[in-house]
Amino acid sequence: MLATGSREGKGTDKKSARTRLRILDAAAKVLSTKGYAGMRLSDVAAEADLQAPAIYYYFSSRDDLVEEVMWVGLADMRAFLTTALADTPADATPMDRILVAVEAHLRHELEISDYATAAIRNSGLVPEQIEERHRAEEKKYGAIWRDLVKAAAEAGEIRDDLDPYLAQMLVMGTINWAAEWWKPQRATIDRVVANAQSYVRHALAPVDR
Amino acid sequence: MLATGSREGKGTDKKSARTRLRILDAAAKVLSTKGYAGMRLSDVAAEADLQAPAIYYYFSSRDDLVEEVMWVGLADMRAFLTTALADTPADATPMDRILVAVEAHLRHELEISDYATAAIRNSGLVPEQIEERHRAEEKKYGAIWRDLVKAAAEAGEIRDDLDPYLAQMLVMGTINWAAEWWKPQRATIDRVVANAQSYVRHALAPVDR
Amino acid sequence: MLATGSREGKGTDKKSARTRLRILDAAAKVLSTKGYAGMRLSDVAAEADLQAPAIYYYFSSRDDLVEEVMWVGLADMRAFLTTALADTPADATPMDRILVAVEAHLRHELEISDYATAAIRNSGLVPEQIEERHRAEEKKYGAIWRDLVKAAAEAGEIRDDLDPYLAQMLVMGTINWAAEWWKPQRATIDRVVANAQSYVRHALAPVDR
Amino acid sequence: MLATGSREGKGTDKKSARTRLRILDAAAKVLSTKGYAGMRLSDVAAEADLQAPAIYYYFSSRDDLVEEVMWVGLADMRAFLTTALADTPADATPMDRILVAVEAHLRHELEISDYATAAIRNSGLVPEQIEERHRAEEKKYGAIWRDLVKAAAEAGEIRDDLDPYLAQMLVMGTINWAAEWWKPQRATIDRVVANAQSYVRHALAPVDR
DNA sequence: AATGAATGAGGATTCATTCAT
DNA sequence: CATGAATGAATCCTCATTCAT
């Protein structure tokens, strides 16, 4: 659905690039639904409306395709988050920035969900080789959050009884898990975002007195 | 590690029952690591220290085994939670009970992790047939939480700006996600529990005034 | 490297004919190295410095290409041998003529080796259809040798204890096998020729008395 | 048809060992006919009268199977040759021993032909990995011949104008090539052996005077 | 109660071949 | 004349499952 710019040689051009993207989208969808081991190339091909061997014209192996989906999932997420934070007014407090991040993460996860869900859900299910490179990208994303939490802690916007690392992980759980339960019928994304922001703010903030 | 009683015929006996449990434990372990589609019977067999065909003496199919692991995962969790709540002093507030539930869930998830993680992680990855029966069991577990949240909301212990359903889901995310990141080296379970309880209490509670 | 005239329409012209030859040369090389079943059109294309589908402009199928290589291999060999024998002085003995043939065969095999090796090595490995037409060509080549041996036998230049047919086959082995072991580093072609001639002459000739 | 003793664990016992051997025999047959790249596991399976996947119960991969066939081909040949030479009377001359070797090689090649032909024909057609290990075994076999030729040369039983290395190669060609042309209809093995021995003796021996 | 042996149904991947450009 | 894109027919290999013992 959205892939950060163009990657690799073969076809930044027209038809070719679109086919490649169609395959990537299809893979993201299947991957987020069936998981790494459950993704069959024939499913991906059907979803992309072509024959399975055609995939090999664009990706050298199944794992190559998976890796790119997961990479795109995280990279797009990071790009989205980075942009959102860059757009934050200069006078925003560290906690404001955390809430901006919560919104960005949720909106991306629930709207572009295929890539993001694929990346999130298959985190521990892929073979070592993919895992490693994925882990590296994951670290970069986590680093942004760590900095956000750290800044808030130093500004006294996080309660003393919370360990910054654990706090960060609990927040990630709060928002990552949404991919598992959220369905459009249950609540609008706007409502989910509003609730999650309130939930997270109070979860972290010192008690007003 | 712990399976709530034995269902079905075959083995309430001694050796037989123990082998069956060994297989179940092995399956839980593999299932929580590799996911539904990635679990091979030969892996399970190796982990249980026997040959793959032997599994068929105790389970009629791969899916049957998976289903039982996931069922045990949830059933044990529910039993554990129910017991914990039953042991709560009569004068405990609804919020106190929620925090007891947070602790029970986390301890079970992180200590007995294999069954619980298997059940949690594979929630959306199993085939319809299993999914359906699992969903039914999941509902029962969710109902306990729904009642806890509802009671707290009616007692005015949950902020007005939170939708009870969404609040419940956010809490589940907070604690379910721990299975993905927690490792003994990073923090003791006691610390995780304490942090999560504080996090959840403040996430839900009305602002002190 | 050398193809006896151009058969078929397509390209007696310049560039076209050259490309066709480049493909044929490439196929000969790959065929002599990897064998019939191991020859991939993409290998041939790479060797000829073009894309695989381009081959179809010059040859109607993979087998067609193979067949032509093998045919050229034998046809060139026969042409070379025929020329060499025609150049033999009128007073040459039948044995002299055999030794001329040994030299011609060896030089051609080891110098133009690709086509010859391809033809020799894949003799029994190609599908029936090709095999049959190849066998016919092979017979013509074998006929020359049969006549050479026969003439020598009738002139009393071959020992009585040798069966002419078997003798011919043993000679063919002596010289055909060189394609398998000969490498420029080990010995010059001149030395191989000299040794082979001596070897064959004595192998066949009646004992001096 | 004949494999030197028992190799590896799985089954030196009854049925299992026999099935394994049936597969090996089948592979040798197909390999000698179609060549490395042309050998399909389904062909082997059909020849061995079982389903293709069953092969994986005995061999871990196609290449593994090929390698064992080729190894057996050479190893059996060497064992056969060694035995034949050991049985040679003490007063045999070096040339006598060469002729014994010629007979042993030919008989083995033409009678057990599948393994031997497979090993001989596919010498240059297999992938590097197999080639390397095969080459090692081939060296051992070649060493026996080198010693035979060397001994004959030192005893003055080989003409001075022949290079020992080239002479050895020419002999190998004489006898190896028989696998390509010999068919029971054309001549008995006894006749082939007799002709080849006479051919080789005179090819190498100094001229009587 | 458990295993060795074997099978059948897939699933990834390769490759000759086609076709529009 | 040649290529990029795509396809269909294999082919290797894996894995759940069966069955005789």
Side-chain angles (χ1 to χ4, degrees):
Chain A
M1 313 218 166
L2 179 156
T4 355
S6 58
R7 267 171 295 280
E8 268 173 83
K10 222 125 217 179
T12 315
D13 315 27
K14 290 168 231 177
K15 210 169 308 184
S16 186
R18 250 180 295 135
T19 305
R20 189 185 145 87
L21 193 51
R22 234 169 56 225
I23 294 173
L24 218 44
D25 286 348
K29 185 164 178 181
V30 176
L31 205 49
S32 67
T33 312
K34 306 276 186 65
Y36 171 76
M39 179 189 99
R40 282 167 305 177
L41 286 192
S42 55
D43 289 348
V44 175
E47 184 72 33
D49 207 35
L50 38 69
Q51 301 301 314
I55 295 174
Y56 286 85
Y57 189 77
Y58 298 94
F59 301 89
S60 58
S61 74
R62 194 186 103 116
D63 277 5
D64 208 63
L65 173 57
V66 169
E67 195 182 335
E68 181 147 347
V69 168
M70 295 190 65
W71 185 83
V72 169
L74 273 180
D76 282 3
M77 207 136 189
R78 184 153 65 94
F80 195 75
L81 176 55
T82 302
T83 304
L85 288 172
D87 291 349
T88 310
D91 62 346
T93 64
M95 177 60 79
D96 286 340
R97 291 171 61 80
I98 286 179
L99 298 184
V100 163
V102 164
E103 170 165 18
H105 185 104
L106 275 172
R107 286 199 186 281
H108 192 81
E109 176 184 5
L110 302 182
E111 275 161 11
I112 315 298
S113 76
D114 289 348
Y115 286 90
T117 311
I120 293 171
R121 269 204 160 174
N122 291 287
S123 218
L125 300 177
V126 294
E128 289 237 358
Q129 215 183 348
I130 299 182
E131 185 77 35
E132 250 166 70
R133 274 175 278 189
H134 185 66
R135 196 73 78 187
E137 191 62 26
E138 222 170 357
K139 278 230 171 82
K140 293 193 203 164
Y141 186 70
I144 299 181
W145 279 91
R146 198 182 55 238
D147 291 347
L148 287 173
V149 171
K150 194 176 162 205
E154 286 170 356
E157 296 196 281
I158 292 191
R159 281 199 314 288
D160 288 341
D161 64 334
L162 293 178
D163 172 299
Y165 170 73
L166 295 179
Q168 180 192 340
M169 290 301 126
L170 294 171
V171 172
M172 298 308 297
T174 305
I175 57 185
N176 271 338
W177 196 251
E180 303 284 338
W181 55 264
W182 182 75
K183 274 169 203 152
Q185 301 91 35
R186 254 352 224 281
T188 64
I189 291 187
D190 284 349
R191 272 187 67 71
V192 173
V193 167
N195 273 261
Q197 285 181 317
S198 167
Y199 179 96
V200 168
R201 189 205 346 265
H202 291 89
L204 301 178
V207 179
D208 269 0
R209 178 167 310 274
Chain B
M1 313 216 164
L2 179 156
T4 358
S6 55
R7 301 176 302 155
E8 274 173 79
K10 229 112 213 182
T12 315
D13 318 22
K14 284 176 233 174
K15 204 178 305 186
S16 185
R18 251 180 293 135
T19 306
R20 187 186 148 87
L21 192 51
R22 234 169 57 225
I23 294 173
L24 217 45
D25 286 348
K29 186 165 180 182
V30 176
L31 204 50
S32 67
T33 312
K34 305 274 185 66
Y36 171 75
M39 179 191 100
R40 284 173 306 182
L41 284 193
S42 56
D43 289 348
V44 174
E47 184 74 32
D49 210 34
L50 37 69
Q51 301 300 314
I55 295 174
Y56 286 85
Y57 187 79
Y58 300 94
F59 301 89
S60 59
S61 77
R62 180 186 185 272
D63 278 3
D64 208 62
L65 173 57
V66 169
E67 197 183 333
E68 179 147 349
V69 169
M70 295 190 65
W71 183 83
V72 168
L74 272 179
D76 282 2
M77 209 138 186
R78 183 152 64 94
F80 196 74
L81 177 55
T82 303
T83 305
L85 288 173
D87 291 349
T88 311
D91 61 346
T93 65
M95 178 59 82
D96 285 341
R97 292 172 60 82
I98 287 180
L99 298 185
V100 163
V102 164
E103 171 163 16
H105 185 104
L106 276 173
R107 286 200 187 280
H108 192 81
E109 176 186 5
L110 302 183
E111 275 162 8
I112 315 297
S113 79
D114 289 348
Y115 286 89
T117 310
I120 293 171
R121 269 204 159 177
N122 290 287
S123 218
L125 299 177
V126 293
E128 289 236 358
Q129 215 182 347
I130 299 182
E131 183 78 36
E132 250 165 73
R133 273 174 280 189
H134 185 66
R135 195 74 75 187
E137 191 61 26
E138 224 171 355
K139 278 231 171 81
K140 293 192 202 163
Y141 186 70
I144 300 181
W145 280 91
R146 199 181 55 239
D147 291 347
L148 288 173
V149 171
K150 193 176 163 203
E154 286 170 355
E157 295 196 283
I158 293 191
R159 282 200 315 289
D160 289 340
D161 64 335
L162 293 177
D163 172 299
Y165 170 72
L166 295 180
Q168 181 193 338
M169 290 301 128
L170 293 172
V171 172
M172 298 308 298
T174 304
I175 56 184
N176 270 338
W177 196 251
E180 303 285 336
W181 57 264
W182 182 74
K183 274 170 204 153
Q185 301 92 35
R186 252 356 222 281
T188 63
I189 291 186
D190 284 349
R191 271 185 68 73
V192 173
V193 168
N195 273 261
Q197 285 180 318
S198 167
Y199 180 96
V200 168
R201 186 199 358 258
H202 290 87
L204 300 178
V207 179
D208 269 1
R209 177 168 310 271
Chain C
M1 312 222 164
L2 180 156
T4 0
S6 54
R7 301 176 302 155
E8 272 174 79
K10 231 112 213 184
T12 316
D13 318 22
K14 285 175 236 178
K15 203 178 306 184
S16 186
R18 249 180 295 134
T19 306
R20 187 186 147 85
L21 192 50
R22 234 170 55 226
I23 294 173
L24 219 43
D25 285 349
K29 186 165 179 180
V30 177
L31 206 49
S32 67
T33 312
K34 307 273 185 66
Y36 171 75
M39 179 190 99
R40 284 171 307 181
L41 284 194
S42 57
D43 289 348
V44 174
E47 184 73 32
D49 210 34
L50 37 70
Q51 300 299 317
I55 295 174
Y56 285 85
Y57 187 78
Y58 301 92
F59 301 88
S60 59
S61 76
R62 179 185 184 273
D63 278 3
D64 207 63
L65 173 57
V66 170
E67 195 183 334
E68 181 148 349
V69 168
M70 295 190 65
W71 183 83
V72 169
L74 273 181
D76 281 4
M77 209 138 188
R78 184 152 62 95
F80 196 76
L81 177 55
T82 303
T83 304
L85 288 174
D87 291 351
T88 310
D91 63 345
T93 65
M95 177 60 81
D96 286 340
R97 291 172 60 80
I98 287 180
L99 299 185
V100 163
V102 165
E103 171 163 17
H105 186 103
L106 275 173
R107 288 201 186 279
H108 192 81
E109 175 185 6
L110 303 183
E111 276 161 10
I112 316 296
S113 78
D114 289 348
Y115 286 89
T117 312
I120 293 171
R121 268 204 161 177
N122 290 286
S123 218
L125 299 176
V126 293
E128 289 235 0
Q129 214 183 347
I130 300 183
E131 184 76 37
E132 252 165 70
R133 274 175 277 188
H134 185 66
R135 196 74 74 188
E137 191 61 28
E138 223 170 356
K139 279 232 172 82
K140 294 192 203 164
Y141 186 69
I144 300 181
W145 279 91
R146 199 181 53 238
D147 291 346
L148 288 173
V149 171
K150 195 176 161 203
E154 287 171 355
E157 295 196 284
I158 293 191
R159 282 198 314 288
D160 288 339
D161 64 334
L162 292 179
D163 172 299
Y165 170 72
L166 295 180
Q168 180 192 339
M169 290 300 127
L170 294 172
V171 173
M172 298 308 298
T174 305
I175 57 186
N176 270 339
W177 196 251
E180 304 284 338
W181 56 264
W182 182 74
K183 275 171 203 151
Q185 300 92 37
R186 259 341 228 287
T188 64
I189 291 187
D190 284 348
R191 273 185 68 71
V192 173
V193 168
N195 273 261
Q197 286 180 319
S198 166
Y199 180 96
V200 169
R201 188 204 348 263
H202 290 88
L204 301 177
V207 179
D208 269 358
R209 175 169 313 266
Chain D
M1 313 216 166
L2 180 154
T4 355
S6 58
R7 268 172 295 283
E8 271 173 79
K10 223 127 216 177
T12 315
D13 315 26
K14 291 169 228 177
K15 210 170 308 185
S16 188
R18 250 181 293 137
T19 304
R20 189 185 145 88
L21 192 51
R22 234 169 56 225
I23 295 174
L24 218 43
D25 287 347
K29 185 165 181 182
V30 177
L31 206 49
S32 67
T33 311
K34 306 277 184 66
Y36 171 75
M39 178 190 101
R40 283 169 304 178
L41 287 190
S42 55
D43 290 348
V44 175
E47 184 72 33
D49 206 35
L50 37 69
Q51 301 300 313
I55 295 174
Y56 286 86
Y57 189 77
Y58 298 93
F59 301 88
S60 58
S61 74
R62 194 187 103 115
D63 277 5
D64 209 63
L65 173 57
V66 169
E67 197 182 332
E68 181 146 349
V69 168
M70 294 189 66
W71 184 83
V72 169
L74 274 180
D76 282 2
M77 206 135 188
R78 184 153 63 95
F80 196 75
L81 176 54
T82 302
T83 304
L85 288 173
D87 291 350
T88 309
D91 63 344
T93 66
M95 177 60 79
D96 286 340
R97 291 172 59 82
I98 288 180
L99 299 184
V100 163
V102 164
E103 171 164 16
H105 185 104
L106 275 172
R107 287 198 187 281
H108 192 80
E109 177 185 5
L110 303 181
E111 274 162 10
I112 315 296
S113 78
D114 290 347
Y115 286 90
T117 312
I120 292 171
R121 270 204 158 175
N122 290 287
S123 217
L125 299 177
V126 294
E128 289 238 358
Q129 215 183 346
I130 298 181
E131 184 76 36
E132 250 165 73
R133 272 174 279 189
H134 185 66
R135 196 73 76 187
E137 192 62 27
E138 222 170 356
K139 278 232 172 80
K140 293 192 203 163
Y141 187 69
I144 299 182
W145 279 91
R146 200 182 53 237
D147 291 346
L148 288 174
V149 171
K150 195 176 161 205
E154 286 171 356
E157 296 196 281
I158 293 191
R159 283 199 314 288
D160 288 338
D161 64 334
L162 292 178
D163 173 300
Y165 170 73
L166 295 179
Q168 181 192 339
M169 290 300 126
L170 293 171
V171 173
M172 299 306 298
T174 304
I175 55 184
N176 271 337
W177 196 252
E180 304 283 337
W181 56 264
W182 182 75
K183 273 170 204 153
Q185 300 92 34
R186 254 352 223 281
T188 63
I189 292 187
D190 285 348
R191 272 186 68 72
V192 173
V193 167
N195 273 262
Q197 285 180 319
S198 166
Y199 180 96
V200 168
R201 188 206 347 264
H202 290 89
L204 301 177
V207 179
D208 268 0
R209 178 165 310 274

